[in-house]
Amino acid sequence: MFFVISAFTLCYSMDNKPNQTISIFYLKRYLRIAPVYYLGILMYLFIDILSRYFGFINKTGYDYSLLNILVNISFLNGLYIPANNNIVPGGWSIGTEMIFYLVFPALFWIFNKFIAIKNHLILLPLIILLVSILIHFSIRTIDSNFSNNQTFYYYNIFNQIPVFSIGISLYYLYKNDILKKIRLSHAVVLFIFFTLLSTTMLFIGSEKLTFFDVLVPFSSGLSFAFVFVLLQYHIKFKSEILSNLGIYSFSAYIIHFIFAVYLSSYLVKKLNFIQDSNLMFIVLLFTSSCITFFAAKFMYEHLETKFNKISIRIVKQFSDKNKDGLKNKKID
């Protein structure tokens, strides 16, 4: 869902700012992600120190080596297995996202090239999926340790790029009013179909299903695409809580592991009088979700918004310098 939304909104932004240079695009993306992610690195490094030397919480199990930290700082963790998901929990998606930002201008150009032939908007994600399957097959053939690194192969950009391509196609289909033609009944049936398909593949598992790693995210992405169709054209649904959750989502993503993992493991010991495992799960889910929401709200209002304001000033200064440079060239 995150990757589909990300690709969709990037296309929307790029389309509405046709004069934006690639350097400005990259600067904006870096400044949007880096400050909060670097804060996450510091937070989880601090938690690791507490676990290793003071025993306040259970050991994190992550390898906070200098190399892994530097790889995450440079956002190359999407390409380096030991650092892929090993500093900030869930940081794999940030590494994959940043590589997608790198290739997005080229993908945007390719989709624009094929915009005249509207059928290609549906075909391109399928072609990219096929390429991803071929890459996956090649890795399986070459790498004898494939099963040991399966999570990395699931997380990496070559496996997730078909999902991003769904978001790009979704944007162009939306922009050209093609999605409006999908009837409510068709959207519901297709949403249910791809949701059940994804769920079935998850139950079958990677050991029994060939190309599980490629097909599950792609099918899930298609499922969400039809959720978009339903909510955009057929079901008028608004929620202030969900809107706010969308605003705080990046901060929530970075910090929620603190409450979902470390706080929950602490509460399990303190709430040992709760014997029913399902009830315990509900209590932990509710507690960690509520605390995450308010912690993310605080982090967004007091840190993330300030980072964003600084980022806007930096981008403006950089843009102004570029404009001055162009003016001087024209005068010369």
Side-chain angles (χ1 to χ4, degrees):
M1 184 177 70
F2 172 65
F3 289 161
V4 172
I5 291 172
S6 176
F8 184 98
T9 52
L10 280 181
C11 290
Y12 185 88
S13 175
M14 190 74 89
D15 237 5
N16 284 277
K17 295 176 182 176
N19 297 322
Q20 178 180 249
T21 63
I22 292 178
S23 58
I24 291 293
F25 169 79
Y26 287 145
L27 182 63
K28 281 183 177 180
R29 294 299 92 211
Y30 174 80
L31 292 174
R32 178 68 186 93
I33 298 294
V36 175
Y37 191 68
Y38 291 164
L39 183 62
I41 291 174
L42 291 174
M43 283 194 298
Y44 288 103
L45 180 60
F46 178 68
I47 289 171
D48 185 66
I49 291 169
L50 290 179
S51 71
R52 284 175 183 271
Y53 301 104
F54 300 100
F56 291 161
I57 56 175
N58 294 336
K59 288 186 178 181
T60 61
Y62 291 105
D63 179 12
Y64 288 87
S65 66
L66 179 60
L67 177 58
N68 283 348
I69 291 171
L70 290 175
V71 169
N72 271 264
I73 288 172
S74 62
F75 295 108
L76 295 174
N77 53 310
L79 301 173
Y80 182 62
I81 294 175
N84 183 239
N85 199 36
N86 209 2
I87 298 297
V88 177
W92 71 268
S93 71
I94 303 299
T96 301
E97 181 80 9
M98 292 298 274
I99 298 169
F100 172 67
Y101 291 159
L102 194 63
V103 300
F104 172 75
L107 277 175
F108 186 73
W109 179 83
I110 291 169
F111 273 76
N112 266 325
K113 274 285 182 185
F114 288 97
I115 195 72
I117 307 172
K118 293 178 180 178
N119 290 336
H120 285 184
L121 291 174
I122 299 169
L123 287 175
L124 275 173
L126 295 174
I127 293 167
I128 293 171
L129 174 67
L130 179 60
V131 172
S132 183
I133 288 173
L134 290 173
I135 292 171
H136 217 64
F137 178 76
S138 301
I139 292 170
R140 280 176 178 270
T141 306
I142 297 167
D143 187 359
S144 58
N145 295 317
F146 178 85
S147 58
N148 297 330
N149 297 325
Q150 201 157 0
T151 51
F152 173 74
Y153 292 120
Y154 184 91
Y155 294 156
N156 77 83
I157 186 64
F158 297 108
N159 196 58
Q160 298 294 337
I161 197 72
V163 183
F164 286 110
S165 70
I166 290 172
I168 300 175
S169 270
L170 189 68
Y171 170 74
Y172 280 113
L173 292 167
Y174 164 79
K175 179 185 174 182
N176 291 285
D177 292 329
I178 297 171
L179 295 179
K180 283 183 178 179
K181 298 175 184 177
I182 301 175
R183 295 178 182 177
L184 171 61
S185 58
H186 293 169
V188 169
V189 168
L190 288 167
F191 160 66
I192 293 172
F193 172 77
F194 285 113
T195 302
L196 290 176
L197 180 62
S198 304
T199 308
T200 303
M201 287 191 288
L202 284 170
F203 274 111
I204 293 172
S206 58
E207 292 181 1
K208 295 180 181 178
L209 181 65
T210 306
F211 304 121
F212 168 93
D213 297 330
V214 191
L215 296 174
V216 169
F218 189 77
S219 177
S220 302
L222 288 172
S223 171
F224 177 72
F226 288 104
V227 171
F228 175 88
V229 173
L230 287 169
L231 295 178
Q232 183 67 28
Y233 300 108
H234 301 294
I235 302 171
K236 300 301 178 185
F237 175 77
K238 289 186 178 180
S239 168
E240 188 175 343
I241 293 175
L242 285 179
S243 296
N244 286 333
L245 189 58
I247 293 168
Y248 311 142
S249 60
F250 186 33
S251 290
Y253 184 77
I254 294 297
I255 66 170
H256 82 273
F257 292 92
I258 295 172
F259 311 111
V261 178
Y262 305 120
L263 177 64
S264 291
S265 63
Y266 173 79
L267 289 176
V268 164
K269 297 173 184 176
K270 295 296 179 182
L271 301 175
N272 54 14
F273 56 88
I274 300 177
Q275 298 297 316
D276 187 275
S277 59
N278 292 321
L279 179 59
M280 176 68 81
F281 172 75
I282 292 168
V283 169
L284 296 177
L285 178 64
F286 178 78
T287 304
S288 60
S289 297
C290 288
I291 296 175
T292 294
F293 180 85
F294 290 108
K297 181 176 185 292
F298 177 86
M299 187 170 168
Y300 174 82
E301 292 175 350
H302 296 279
L303 292 172
E304 194 176 340
T305 51
K306 290 180 180 177
F307 291 149
N308 289 342
K309 286 177 182 177
I310 294 169
S311 299
I312 289 168
R313 284 203 297 268
I314 292 171
V315 170
K316 188 177 183 306
Q317 289 174 0
F318 191 80
S319 298
D320 290 342
K321 284 182 180 178
N322 281 356
K323 287 176 184 177
D324 291 340
L326 286 171
K327 285 179 183 177
N328 292 333
K329 282 181 180 179
K330 286 178 181 178
I331 292 169
D332 292 341

